[in-house]
Amino acid sequence: MKVSVFGAGNMGARIAEVFLKAGHAVTMIDIKEQFCEGGKKRIEGDLAGAVKRGKMTQEEMDAALANLTLSINRQDAAGSQFVMEVILERMDLKEDLLKDLDAILDKDCIIGTNTSALPISEIARAVPHRADHILGVHFFNPAHIMKLVEITRTISTDQAVIDTVVDIMKGVDKH
């Protein structure tokens, strides 16, 4: 599955890492190349530590990193089946991102927001015709270690979308 993660900070990078370790192709997108590179360094450090502790092989690490694409172009999310929004906790930025993604993503793409502070229903209002495919997918910090993920629906979120996200989370060893 192609996953795009918007935001390469601590949480975004660690969420990207979760999907990489599960064998998914991940595009990590941020507004500056140095942010993307910083996120990649976090992931590389975590994976190298896992190799050192015997939790994964060097080959598994190399395969995970080979599935990582860095980008500063929102268009590179095209073709994603699942998008995680992990940008700054500002409603205007989240609304702007969703409006752009509306023109980029397939209509069936699921969009999860990692927000812990903003109302997900309000975020979903940025693209009301897509609101049935938007929900909260809140990873707990540190995302690459903590097993718990909070899935939050809006009044518009389709039950099949929730079921799909629950299955996706189980597939990346989250509960």
Side-chain angles (χ1 to χ4, degrees):
M1 172 173 69
K2 180 179 178 183
V3 176
S4 288
V5 176
F6 281 85
N10 184 48
M11 286 300 287
R14 276 17 192 280
I15 291 169
E17 180 180 333
V18 166
F19 286 98
L20 289 167
K21 289 193 296 191
H24 297 287
V26 177
T27 302
M28 188 167 59
I29 303 168
D30 210 314
I31 59 172
K32 293 184 180 179
E33 287 181 18
Q34 63 260 38
F35 295 166
C36 292
E37 288 298 330
K40 183 179 180 184
K41 283 186 171 121
R42 282 184 187 92
I43 294 168
E44 288 172 333
D46 291 345
L47 297 181
V51 170
K52 187 175 181 178
R53 290 186 310 280
K55 300 288 184 185
M56 75 182 335
T57 67
Q58 183 65 47
E59 292 77 19
E60 291 168 330
M61 175 181 166
D62 294 343
L65 291 173
N67 277 331
L68 176 63
T69 301
L70 304 179
S71 178
I72 57 169
N73 185 347
R74 291 178 174 182
Q75 292 287 334
D76 289 338
S80 296
Q81 287 85 34
F82 186 64
V83 168
M84 275 301 305
E85 173 276 305
V86 196
I87 64 173
L88 293 175
E89 291 288 289
R90 283 186 34 200
M91 188 62 75
D92 60 325
L93 297 177
K94 292 178 186 299
E95 289 173 347
D96 177 64
L97 174 62
L98 286 180
K99 287 175 184 175
D100 279 357
L101 289 177
D102 188 39
I104 296 167
L105 301 173
D106 295 337
K107 66 178 178 71
D108 293 329
C109 182
I110 297 170
I111 301 171
T113 178
N114 193 59
T115 188
S116 61
L118 298 173
I120 297 157
S121 294
E122 191 174 328
I123 293 168
R125 275 188 232 136
V127 285
H129 56 282
R130 205 183 260 277
D132 61 337
H133 277 66
I134 297 174
L135 70 167
V137 184
H138 180 231
F139 287 74
F140 287 76
N141 196 13
H144 63 302
I145 295 171
M146 295 292 289
K147 298 287 187 191
L148 187 61
V149 174
E150 176 184 38
I151 298 172
T152 308
R153 73 177 311 140
T154 71
I155 196 163
S156 302
T157 309
D158 187 286
Q159 184 61 47
V161 169
I162 294 167
D163 295 342
T164 298
V165 172
V166 168
D167 289 342
I168 290 169
M169 291 302 110
K170 287 178 181 176
V172 297
D173 198 26
K174 298 295 178 185
H175 307 280

